[in-house]
Amino acid sequence: MKMRKLGGQGLEVSAMGLGCMGMSDFYGTHDDEQSTETINAALDAGVNFLDTADMYGVGRNEELVGRVVRERRDWIVVATKFGNVRGEDGAFKGVNGRPDYVRSACDASLKRLGLDVIDLYYQHRVDPETPIEDTVGAMADLVKAGKVRYLGLSEAAPDTIRRAHAVHPITALQTEYSLWSRDPEDELLPLVRELGIGFVPYSPLGRGFLTGKFATPNDLEEGDSRRNHPRFQGDNFARNLDLVAEVAALARDKGCTPAQLALAWVLAQGEDVVPIPGTKRRSYLADNLGALDVVLGDDELRHIEKILPAGRAEGTRYPTASMAAVNR
C-alpha cells in the first residue's frame, strides 16, 4: 500500500482511506455483517485509514468500526468527528462546538469505539455560536490528556482554519472534493498547503454518481438521502449524466473503470491529498483500490481539465439547509 503524510505533525496513512458512513446511515439499508467483511477486506489490502463520526447511525457506525478495529488496532488510524448533534431518533439538533460538549462527545466516542485514544478527531461542522478558538482549545486539551492524537476540521472556511491552526496545529481538513465538486481549489487547497495541513476529500466519487451506476433517480433505494440532493433530482440529474458519460469515455480510453478514473484524478492533485471513498461492498472497494495503479500524466490531466472544467456539475452539492452549515 502506498502511504501519504497528512499534515506536518507526523501522521502517515494509506494513500486511500475508507469512508464508513454509508454502512450505517443515509445511503439506504445497512448490513453490519457485510460492512464488517468490507472493512476487514480494506485492512487486508493495506488500507489503514478509517473514517467515521458520532452522528453516523447515531453512534452505531462508531460501534461497528470499533468492533473491527479492536481486533487489529496497532497500525490502524481511526478518524471520527463531533459537532453534528442528533437525537436518539436520528433528528438533527444543530451544531455544538462548546468546550464542555467537545469533552463529553470525545468520551462518548471513545466508549463506542472501545479505544483508549482517537487518532484523528475532527470538528464535523463549525459552530457559529462558539468561537473556533474555544472549540479547538478544548480539542487541544484532549491531546494533552492523551485521548486524541491529531486534530482536524471538516467543511471549515479559510479564516476559521487559520484561526484554529493558530491555537493548535491542525493536521487535516476534510471537505467534499471530486471532479464535480472543485470549490476547494479556489482558497482551501492553497491555504492548507501554506499551513502544512493535509487534505482529505470525502465523496470523491460524487456520492457514487461518477461511477456511472445510476441511470435514473429511481436507482437509489427508498430512504436514500441522495434523493434529496439537488444534483440527483430532475433536470439536474439528466444534465449530470452528460458529465458521467465524459468520465466513462475517459475511463475507456485509459483502460480503467469510471470510479478508478475519478479517484485517480483526485489522487493526482497532490501527495498531501488522501481521498476516503465510502462503500459497504467488497466489490466496489476492490474497484476503488484499483485507482492506486492508475497514473494520469500531465497531458491527460490537461485533457480532463478541458472537457470537465470546474463548475460543470448542475445543482448544489447539498440541500439548502445543509449548504448553510458548510464553509463557515
Side-chain angles (χ1 to χ4, degrees), residues 168-188:
H168 186 281
I170 300 299
T171 292
L173 172 71
Q174 182 176 136
T175 193
E176 184 172 355
Y177 186 50
S178 70
L179 276 170
W180 78 348
S181 291
R182 295 178 55 183
D183 295 348
E185 294 173 356
D186 295 335
E187 294 183 81
L188 290 178

Side-chain angles (χ1 to χ4, degrees), residues 64-285:
L64 169 67
V65 170
R67 286 194 296 271
V68 180
V69 167
R70 289 195 295 273
E71 299 292 325
R72 316 169 63 162
R73 174 58 172 141
D74 289 348
W75 60 285
I76 300 172
V77 176
V78 177
T80 192
K81 316 176 197 71
F82 74 92
N84 280 325
V85 185
R86 297 175 74 186
E88 292 184 5
D89 62 353
F92 185 62
K93 293 189 171 182
V95 177
N96 193 338
R98 295 192 300 272
D100 58 339
Y101 181 77
V102 175
R103 292 187 288 268
S104 64
C106 178
D107 288 342
S109 287
L110 286 168
K111 183 177 180 179
R112 285 188 292 267
L113 289 163
L115 302 178
D116 295 325
V117 61
I118 294 166
D119 298 302
L120 176 58
Y121 200 39
Y122 292 100
Q123 183 183 19
H124 205 164
R125 291 292 186 270
V126 174
D127 178 1
E129 304 300 322
T130 303
I132 192 64
E133 290 83 0
D134 293 351
T135 302
V136 176
M139 295 169 71
D141 289 341
L142 296 173
V143 176
K144 293 175 186 175
K147 295 182 178 182
V148 170
R149 290 196 173 104
Y150 302 98
L151 303 185
L153 299 175
S154 178
E155 291 288 1
D159 181 63
T160 302
I161 297 166
R162 194 178 290 278
R163 288 164 54 200
H165 194 67
V167 174
H168 186 281
I170 300 299
T171 292
L173 172 71
Q174 182 176 136
T175 193
E176 184 172 355
Y177 186 50
S178 70
L179 276 170
W180 78 348
S181 291
R182 295 178 55 183
D183 295 348
E185 294 173 356
D186 295 335
E187 294 183 81
L188 290 178
L189 275 171
L191 175 64
V192 296
R193 284 169 173 159
E194 173 195 337
L195 299 178
I197 298 171
F199 189 71
V200 179
Y202 71 85
S203 296
L205 293 172
R207 294 184 172 81
F209 206 128
L210 295 174
T211 66
K213 293 181 172 67
F214 304 126
T216 76
N218 292 329
D219 289 334
L220 298 166
E221 292 183 36
E222 290 293 335
D224 191 313
S225 66
R226 288 172 289 191
R227 285 176 172 261
N228 299 319
H229 288 211
R231 291 182 178 177
F232 286 81
Q233 296 175 327
D235 291 342
N236 288 343
F237 189 101
R239 294 192 185 102
N240 287 330
L241 284 177
D242 294 338
L243 187 155
V244 172
E246 297 279 10
V247 174
L250 290 166
R252 284 193 299 272
D253 291 343
K254 188 65 176 174
C256 64
T257 67
Q260 290 168 353
L261 188 286
L263 288 171
W265 180 86
V266 174
L267 288 162
Q269 301 312 303
E271 289 294 318
D272 54 349
V273 176
V274 179
I276 50 168
T279 184
K280 44 194 172 184
R281 295 178 176 85
R282 284 176 292 171
S283 59
Y284 292 175
L285 169 70

Side-chain angles (χ1 to χ4, degrees), residues 301-317:
L301 290 170
R302 282 191 288 268
H303 179 60
I304 292 171
E305 178 67 29
K306 182 178 179 180
I307 63 176
L308 294 173
R312 174 80 183 274
E314 295 286 343
T316 57
R317 55 193 180 97

